Amino acid sequence: MSLEKQNAARTAVDQIEDGMLVGLGTGSTAAFAISYLGEKVRSGLTISAIPTSEASKKQAQSEGIPLIDFETSPSIDLCIDGADEIDSELNMIKGGGGALLREKIVASSAKRYLIIIDSSKQVETLGTFPLPVEVIPFGWQVVSRKLKEMNASPELRKSGPQPFVTDEGNYILDCRFNSILEVEQLETELNRIPGVVENGLFVAMCDQMIMGKGDQVILKERR
Ligand code: 5RP
């Protein structure tokens, strides 16, 4: 799986051109991309980047990748990120690494959004991977009850004995749904619950999927 991730990451980074503002994703596959991008920057590629998490920011800084923020430029040329599940329409579940909120903001500002995955991430129907829902800490129990009424089985994500806290200071409820058929509807419904900040359904956002499969790389554009 690691080779598949590396091949997908390298193929995506090869699409980065001089002068671009690049969105840097989060997770083990995105980490390969940041590392390859670092190599290219040290060899003379001139880009700037906006990371989607504190972890990716730290890695990018250690690679010598110049970072800016949205105050300098609100629009990203190319964003590269991983996914936890992706279906044939290129809709996704993200947030396994807890960075879904910043990831969705960065992706929504990108002219082109590339998703890099290994072959285990491709699914027929989303929902085997528990859907992360980011909530503010106050009243998370209320949100959890409402999610149960929507036939989900939410579980508060933990980091040891304590709740896991996102880069934005929120909690995550990992929600098991049997399978998610109405992705767009569910994404909207979840975000209407008071206390929900964002959820990990990324619908009609991915422009190109880059999947490592064995020693091949498979590309798929969103229709
Ligand atoms: C982090 C994410 C990641 O993109 C997702 O969890 C995939 O991670 P990995 O590349 O390690 O499999 O959404 O919030």
Side-chain angles (χ1 to χ4, degrees), residues 1-12 28-30 32-33 36 115-122 209-219:
M1 289 306 161
S2 172
L3 181 68
E4 293 184 348
K5 289 180 182 190
Q6 289 175 45
N7 287 343
R10 209 180 274 281
T11 304
S28 58
T29 321
F32 284 124
Y36 295 138
I115 290 298
I116 49 177
I117 51 163
D118 64 61
S119 57
S120 71
K121 306 294 180 71
Q122 223 185 11
M209 177 194 83
I210 304 175
M211 179 176 72
K213 193 172 168 88
D215 57 3
Q216 309 280 304
V217 174
I218 295 166
L219 306 184

Side-chain angles (χ1 to χ4, degrees), residues 150-178:
M150 292 171 70
N151 291 327
S153 310
E155 236 177 72
L156 183 66
R157 192 179 294 185
K158 294 274 182 65
S159 177
Q162 301 299 327
F164 171 87
V165 178
T166 70
D167 285 341
E168 295 297 328
N170 297 314
Y171 291 171
I172 288 189
L173 294 169
D174 289 305
C175 298
R176 285 201 177 275
F177 288 87
N178 279 338

Side-chain angles (χ1 to χ4, degrees), residues 5 26-30 81-84 94-100 103 118 121:
K5 289 180 182 190
T26 296
S28 58
T29 321
D81 203 352
D84 297 300
K94 287 183 49 55
L100 64 123
E103 286 174 337
D118 64 61
K121 306 294 180 71

